[in-house]
Amino acid sequence: MFRIVVKKLFNNKWLFLSLLIGMIMTIAMITAIPLYTEGVLQRMLVKDMENYQKETGEFPGTLRYEANYKFIADEQKKTSAYVYFNKVITGENLSEYNTPTLSKHYYNELTPFPIKRGEGGISSRKECYLSLAGIYNLGKQVSIENGKMYAVHKSEDVYEAIATKTAMIKNELQLNKVYELNITSEKSIRFEIVGIYKPLDNKDAFWFENSTESEDRILIDFELLYSDFIRDSGINLMRSVWNYSFDYKLIDVTQIDDLVNSYNAHEKWTQKNNTVLKMTFPVINTIEKYDSRQKELKMTLLILLTPVLIILTLFIFMISQFIVKNDANEIAVLRSRGSSRKKILLIYLYESILLSLVALIFGIPLGYIVTNILGSANGFLEFVNRVALPLRFNISILIYNLFAILFLLVTLMIPVIIYTKVSIVTHKQLSVRRHKPPIWKRLYIDIVLLALALYALYRYNNQQATLKVTGAEGLDIAIDPLIFLASTFFILGLGLLFIRLYPYLINFIFLVRKKSWSPTSYVSFLQISRTRGLEQFLMIFMIFVLAIGIFSANSARTINKNIEDKLYYSIGADITVMPLWKDNQVEAPTNNLDTLNNLDLSGITSDDSLRYTEPFMGDYKGLDGVDSVTKVYKTNQGTVVSGNNWIEDVNVMGVIPAEFGRISWFRNDLLPYHINGYLNILSKNNKALLLSSEFKDKYKIQLGDSISLELQDGLYVEGIVSAFIDYWTTFNPNKMKDSDLTKPLLVVGNLKYMQSSTIVLPYEIWLSKKEGVSNQVIYDSIKANDLEIIRLDNSELELLKRKNDPMLQGINGSLTIGFLFTMLLSFIGFLIYWIIAIKNRVLQFGIYRAMGMP
């Protein structure tokens, strides 16, 4: 049997090689979905943790349990509580997290006791308190600046201790002096400071919060503290801390569910003991998001790659049909000579299994390559050198591929099952008999697909209307997979509809001109008009492949262009800056009379009205790498007064028209006329105001109306309504207010006129960069000039952040892979069909030559 299978493979080597290519591509695509999802989420998880550490200064892998025993009066119960907590936390709780730890910080502290100084003490020193504490495994985390490390046992009833330099100075302690701590009125303990310590690295995960420094604490050996003060009597045990520093870089996204479940279980256990114990794990909220993000990313990739997977399925089915059709005579002969159908099916099943195993061997490594392409995608057919994704083989990849192999086996065996029903007599009869219409024609699948596509379009339009009315973001509405598949359904439906009508069109053209055709044209149209299943299947395949390829390219361009445009629109220019504005208002720092008497009021006049100190624009114009600079005044607290209407919470923007036109970003298709036309209106008439269309629709304000614009309390600008606009740089007309879902309003005016009518109010500074200048040049120049800035937005850097978003990378990578695969498959599919078509017509061409056709 194996010899027969191998012989068949070599007899049709080119067809089987093409089939194998399609199967390898399918396995690669199936491998890439879970591989990319987990790889990119792993990178995101590490990046989010790093950002958390930068923003908060706290190590993101920190899990802390803290017990405070002040509510337990009985000293023995304190000991019992500590022993119980310690056993659970260091035992079963820690093991359930199943995450490597960088460090463990166990800490016990007793209630502060008063110091009895004895000889060598300073009599004038007021009484102070020191707490006795122990830290597990401290020796590896500190260096001794002076003296030595404490001993692990007491000597002659004296405990050796170490302290920080801060504690030594504050409490006026001396090295190598013996002191007493009065535990009770009748009992005291003696200790000697033998060393002054400091942490080897304050930023090490071992040290949590301010545990590196303590002004009122001395440390002795952790075990000694437990054995002498906690185990037997629980003498004034005040606090215990169990602090774990997990290596967040080794937290596997596949284990996030287990990690979250463990945390939730331990939180419930902690709640049962919440009078004494509390637990903190600051990044749990960040980690919990990854389950939904993982599902969302997998769904997006699957939706984007579904058309490609359909194409691969069609390709494999088509090649399988070619192979089985070539073997149709052989199958029919075998059936007529007594070979069982089961045996014939087994031959093809073994072929399919052998091809599937080879596809698995080569497809999984290709899947890794595809995943790296997805990870390095910066746009459509655009790749950058980005840090490689952390890719690891896991069980989900194997499960995905097992389902893929089963699907491929079914796809390969369907044509075989159909053809093995036929004997040699039936085969010859069918070869000359008119075929029944295919099942898709009988069931009107083309009409059904088109109806689904139109329904999806209807759903899409409703969703767009909802977004526009509510002002919600796209992600606020649940993803409807049907919308993403609409294009696939439409292409398939329209392609099938064309195939249904195609024979009638060809026959019509043939009948109209058949008497005047040349022999070559006549034969060509005759052959096309008699096409049957395989030719029609190839036409469907080619329509679908080319349409999906074009759609992928167009979709990627649209997505990337819209993201870029939306970003530049929201920021307004290359760089926007809000300087630090100083005013003439003096704040009294305290109620202290002496301070108020000494306050310098020489620069304050009797006019107590608010005045701002304007930043020097020359500093910004002189920045290295900056091409142009302009002022832009913005507020969302303006008020428009028109007749009896007082319209509050209006967005107001004041611009210098000529400068604004050079620096601001605006797309030309958003307004009826170019934005410069509207800026020219502001230039020609200082009192001209541009209003958003909502003023006209809702408040019935008309062109030419005079209105008053209040910028701040008592600061009014008179103006004339000169034009209505739907869009303006940085203004989102669809972003509704949460309170009443009303549309936002905008008024744009001439900034110089506004300033001359009122006072100079705090404005932003917008900058455009010179060609080819890096952002670092500008930043270094800002730093060198000591410019005080509250906020800086950089369009280029924000766009870079967006392009690093895993969802966008996945979309671009998927569309790129889809485009490349579809183009390759269209080439291979058409080439194979053409070769087979020519081979099948060799006899026909010979007859034509014999008849005299050149």
Side-chain angles (χ1 to χ4, degrees):
M1 182 76 75
F2 181 75
R3 191 159 50 87
I4 294 172
V5 169
V6 173
K7 185 177 179 182
K8 278 179 58 56
L9 290 174
F10 277 98
N11 285 343
N12 290 308
K13 54 183 177 292
W14 293 113
L15 280 174
F16 278 110
L17 181 61
S18 300
L19 183 61
L20 185 60
I21 289 171
M23 294 175 72
I24 289 171
M25 286 181 176
T26 304
I27 296 296
M29 297 292 275
I30 294 297
T31 300
I33 293 173
L35 200 60
Y36 174 77
T37 303
E38 288 169 13
V40 78
L41 285 172
Q42 189 71 47
R43 184 164 70 184
M44 280 171 57
L45 180 63
V46 174
K47 200 166 185 179
D48 285 351
M49 297 287 194
E50 289 172 348
N51 290 335
Y52 176 86
Q53 188 167 9
K54 287 178 184 176
E55 292 169 5
T56 65
E58 185 175 0
F59 185 74
T62 298
L63 170 68
R64 183 179 310 127
Y65 297 86
E66 185 171 342
N68 193 317
Y69 306 100
K70 64 183 179 180
F71 296 108
I72 302 177
D74 187 88
E75 301 294 345
Q76 199 59 48
K77 287 185 178 179
K78 289 182 181 179
T79 299
S80 300
Y82 169 74
V83 171
Y84 170 64
F85 293 152
N86 189 61
K87 179 183 177 182
V88 175
I89 293 169
T90 59
E92 55 194 66
N93 278 19
L94 181 62
S95 62
E96 287 177 10
Y97 284 103
N98 195 26
T99 304
T101 54
L102 293 172
S103 65
K104 302 173 184 177
H105 186 125
Y106 301 151
Y107 177 80
N108 286 321
E109 183 180 358
L110 307 184
T111 304
F113 303 121
I115 302 173
K116 183 180 179 182
R117 298 181 178 277
E119 292 183 11
I122 300 174
S123 59
S124 62
R125 179 73 166 90
K126 66 179 181 180
E127 187 178 48
C128 63
Y129 288 77
L130 279 178
S131 61
L132 207 59
I135 299 177
Y136 175 76
N137 210 15
L138 180 67
K140 296 179 180 179
Q141 302 293 337
V142 297
S143 64
I144 304 299
E145 291 183 293
N146 202 350
K148 64 174 185 176
M149 191 65 179
Y150 51 62
V152 296
H153 52 79
K154 63 182 177 181
S155 174
E156 298 179 356
D157 292 331
V158 175
Y159 293 91
E160 291 187 357
I162 59 174
T164 62
K165 186 182 291 184
T166 307
M168 296 288 286
I169 294 170
K170 179 184 177 183
N171 298 289
E172 299 181 5
L173 300 175
Q174 298 179 27
L175 203 60
N176 300 322
K177 288 285 184 181
V178 176
Y179 299 93
E180 287 186 16
L181 287 177
N182 293 325
I183 296 177
T184 64
S185 58
E186 294 136 7
K187 185 176 179 182
S188 64
I189 62 168
R190 302 169 71 206
F191 71 90
E192 178 185 357
I193 305 294
V194 296
I196 299 172
Y197 77 92
K198 71 173 183 178
L200 287 174
D201 182 6
N202 286 332
K203 296 179 181 178
D204 191 278
F206 180 84
W207 301 102
F208 61 91
E209 292 180 341
N210 297 320
S211 60
T212 57
E213 292 285 340
S214 180
E215 298 178 344
D216 300 306
R217 180 188 71 186
I218 59 173
L219 299 177
I220 66 172
D221 180 65
F222 181 81
E223 298 294 342
L224 186 61
L225 181 77
Y226 173 71
S227 62
D228 285 17
F229 298 97
I230 301 174
R231 182 177 59 192
D232 298 326
S233 60
I235 298 177
N236 293 321
L237 179 59
M238 182 179 72
R239 190 167 71 110
S240 298
V241 176
W242 297 263
N243 192 81
Y244 296 105
S245 300
F246 293 132
D247 190 350
Y248 63 83
K249 293 182 180 178
L250 297 181
I251 295 177
D252 195 331
V253 288
T254 58
Q255 299 173 339
I256 280 178
D257 285 343
D258 295 335
L259 188 67
V260 172
N261 291 336
S262 297
Y263 171 80
N264 291 334
H266 299 163
E267 189 179 35
K268 288 179 182 177
W269 173 76
T270 306
Q271 287 298 320
K272 292 178 182 178
N273 305 281
N274 62 355
T275 54
V276 178
L277 189 67
K278 67 176 183 178
M279 178 179 70
T280 55
F281 194 16
V283 294
I284 190 66
N285 292 331
T286 302
I287 292 173
E288 284 177 330
K289 295 176 185 175
Y290 278 81
D291 183 48
S292 58
R293 293 175 85 170
Q294 188 175 34
K295 290 175 183 176
E296 185 182 347
L297 190 55
K298 278 185 180 177
M299 175 63 74
T300 301
L301 290 177
L302 191 60
I303 288 169
L304 289 171
L305 294 177
T306 293
V308 184
L309 292 173
I310 292 173
I311 288 170
L312 288 165
T313 304
L314 291 174
F315 178 80
I316 291 166
F317 185 79
M318 183 176 68
I319 302 300
S320 179
Q321 270 194 311
F322 283 147
I323 292 170
V324 176
K325 190 178 181 184
N326 274 358
D327 295 345
N329 278 327
E330 184 182 340
I331 292 170
V333 169
L334 288 172
R335 289 279 287 132
S336 299
R337 290 180 178 178
S339 292
S340 67
R341 189 182 177 199
K342 180 180 177 183
K343 190 171 183 179
I344 297 170
L345 286 172
L346 278 175
I347 292 172
Y348 283 94
L349 180 63
Y350 290 152
E351 282 180 6
S352 303
I353 291 172
L354 185 60
L355 288 170
S356 298
L357 290 174
V358 175
L360 202 62
I361 292 168
F362 289 98
I364 291 177
L366 180 61
Y368 276 77
I369 296 171
V370 168
T371 307
N372 279 315
I373 292 173
L374 290 173
S376 62
N378 199 49
F380 183 69
L381 294 175
E382 179 187 345
F383 306 99
V384 294
N385 289 324
R386 192 179 278 124
V387 178
L389 291 173
L391 304 180
R392 287 172 293 179
F393 186 84
N394 55 61
I395 192 68
S396 63
I397 295 171
L398 190 59
I399 293 170
Y400 270 67
N401 281 311
L402 286 176
F403 279 109
I405 290 296
L406 287 173
F407 179 74
L408 290 175
L409 289 176
V410 171
T411 305
L412 290 169
M413 292 303 294
I414 287 172
V416 181
I417 292 169
I418 295 169
Y419 274 90
T420 51
K421 292 180 180 178
V422 182
S423 66
I424 185 66
V425 176
T426 312
H427 172 66
K428 293 300 180 183
Q429 288 174 342
L430 289 173
S431 61
V432 295
R433 213 181 268 170
R434 186 178 181 86
H435 289 274
K436 285 195 305 181
I439 190 168
W440 66 264
K441 282 189 177 180
R442 283 178 276 150
L443 296 179
Y444 293 93
I445 300 296
D446 49 345
I447 306 300
V448 171
L449 288 172
L450 284 173
L452 280 172
L454 292 173
Y455 175 68
L457 179 63
Y458 168 76
R459 291 284 297 269
Y460 170 77
N461 287 332
N462 281 348
Q463 194 177 86
Q464 290 297 101
T466 303
L467 290 173
K468 192 169 184 180
V469 169
T470 62
E473 295 290 334
L475 293 176
D476 293 338
I477 296 178
I479 294 175
D480 184 357
L482 184 63
I483 291 175
F484 288 91
L485 295 173
S487 59
T488 304
F489 290 155
F490 182 74
I491 292 166
L492 270 178
L494 201 61
L496 291 171
L497 182 63
F498 174 75
I499 299 301
R500 182 188 290 276
L501 302 175
Y502 171 74
Y504 301 106
L505 177 65
I506 294 299
N507 286 330
F508 175 75
I509 296 172
F510 178 69
L511 289 171
V512 169
R513 294 292 307 276
K514 71 177 183 178
K515 293 183 179 179
S516 59
W517 290 125
S518 65
T520 305
S521 301
Y522 186 90
V523 168
S524 298
F525 268 87
L526 190 65
Q527 176 68 25
I528 294 170
S529 66
R530 292 173 179 175
T531 56
R532 293 178 182 175
L534 282 180
E535 291 82 357
Q536 290 192 1
F537 193 92
L538 177 80
M539 290 171 70
I540 295 169
F541 177 76
M542 292 299 293
I543 289 169
F544 190 59
V545 166
L546 293 174
I548 288 295
I550 294 167
F551 178 76
S552 295
N554 194 46
S555 297
R557 178 188 174 277
T558 302
I559 290 168
N560 291 315
K561 181 66 176 163
N562 283 352
I563 287 172
E564 186 175 341
D565 288 356
K566 185 177 178 180
L567 182 77
Y568 274 93
Y569 180 91
S570 63
I571 293 177
D574 292 342
I575 296 174
T576 63
V577 169
M578 173 54 79
L580 175 64
W581 284 78
K582 298 177 182 178
D583 56 43
N584 62 342
Q585 302 300 304
V586 178
E587 291 185 8
T590 65
N591 291 326
N592 187 295
L593 189 58
D594 293 335
T595 306
L596 291 173
N597 289 334
N598 294 327
L599 197 62
D600 182 12
L601 302 175
S602 58
I604 308 298
T605 66
S606 59
D607 181 10
D608 59 355
S609 60
L610 180 64
R611 292 288 183 271
Y612 290 97
T613 303
E614 194 171 3
F616 180 53
M617 289 296 292
D619 290 339
Y620 291 90
K621 291 177 180 178
L623 290 175
D624 296 337
V626 169
D627 183 32
S628 300
V629 176
T630 190
K631 308 171 185 177
V632 177
Y633 170 73
K634 289 171 65 179
T635 182
N636 58 4
Q637 298 297 317
T639 301
V640 169
V641 182
S642 175
N644 295 325
N645 285 328
W646 283 72
I647 309 164
E648 298 180 336
D649 298 330
V650 175
N651 293 280
V652 179
M653 180 181 286
V655 301
I656 302 173
E659 295 176 359
F660 188 81
R662 287 196 303 269
I663 293 174
S664 65
W665 186 95
F666 195 78
R667 214 166 73 177
N668 293 333
D669 59 346
L670 296 176
L671 293 172
Y673 307 100
H674 194 281
I675 189 173
N676 288 349
Y678 296 91
L679 292 172
N680 286 337
I681 294 174
L682 299 180
S683 295
K684 292 175 182 177
N685 184 357
N686 288 337
K687 288 190 174 184
L689 295 175
L690 312 177
L691 274 64
S692 54
S693 298
E694 188 71 3
F695 280 104
K696 177 178 63 176
D697 301 334
K698 186 174 182 179
Y699 298 102
K700 309 305 178 186
I701 295 176
Q702 302 297 320
L703 287 176
D705 287 356
S706 295
I707 63 172
S708 294
L709 180 62
E710 185 180 23
L711 305 179
Q712 284 188 11
D713 291 341
L715 298 178
Y716 286 90
V717 174
E718 301 297 325
I720 299 170
V721 179
S722 301
F724 290 101
I725 52 177
D726 291 317
Y727 296 92
W728 196 261
T729 303
T730 73
F731 173 67
N732 183 355
N734 298 318
K735 190 173 183 179
M736 307 294 184
K737 297 176 186 176
D738 294 333
S739 56
D740 53 3
L741 294 180
T742 57
K743 284 190 175 184
L745 303 167
L746 174 70
V747 175
V748 182
N750 190 310
L751 178 60
K752 290 184 177 179
Y753 171 69
M754 288 181 177
Q755 290 178 337
S756 65
S757 301
T758 58
I759 61 172
V760 174
L761 295 171
Y763 51 74
E764 295 178 357
I765 297 176
W766 290 15
L767 304 90
S768 64
K769 291 165 51 180
K770 290 179 180 176
E771 193 73 28
V773 173
S774 70
N775 293 305
Q776 194 59 47
V777 171
I778 297 175
Y779 291 167
D780 290 342
S781 186
I782 290 173
K783 190 175 180 180
N785 285 278
D786 294 326
L787 298 181
E788 295 180 288
I789 291 173
I790 297 174
R791 189 191 76 246
L792 185 148
D793 294 319
N794 188 312
S795 299
E796 188 178 328
L797 292 183
E798 287 300 318
L799 183 60
L800 189 61
K801 287 180 186 176
R802 299 286 176 89
K803 287 190 173 182
N804 284 328
D805 179 74
M807 188 70 76
L808 186 59
Q809 286 177 26
I811 290 171
N812 279 313
S814 299
L815 294 173
T816 297
I817 293 296
F819 179 77
L820 295 175
F821 274 26
T822 52
M823 293 302 103
L824 177 62
L825 288 175
S826 66
F827 171 75
I828 295 173
F830 191 77
L831 186 62
I832 290 169
Y833 164 75
W834 199 244
I835 291 169
I836 291 174
I838 291 172
K839 280 179 68 179
N840 290 339
R841 295 178 68 190
V842 169
L843 178 61
Q844 190 183 67
F845 290 154
I847 294 170
Y848 288 153
R849 289 294 304 278
M851 291 170 62
M853 184 180 287

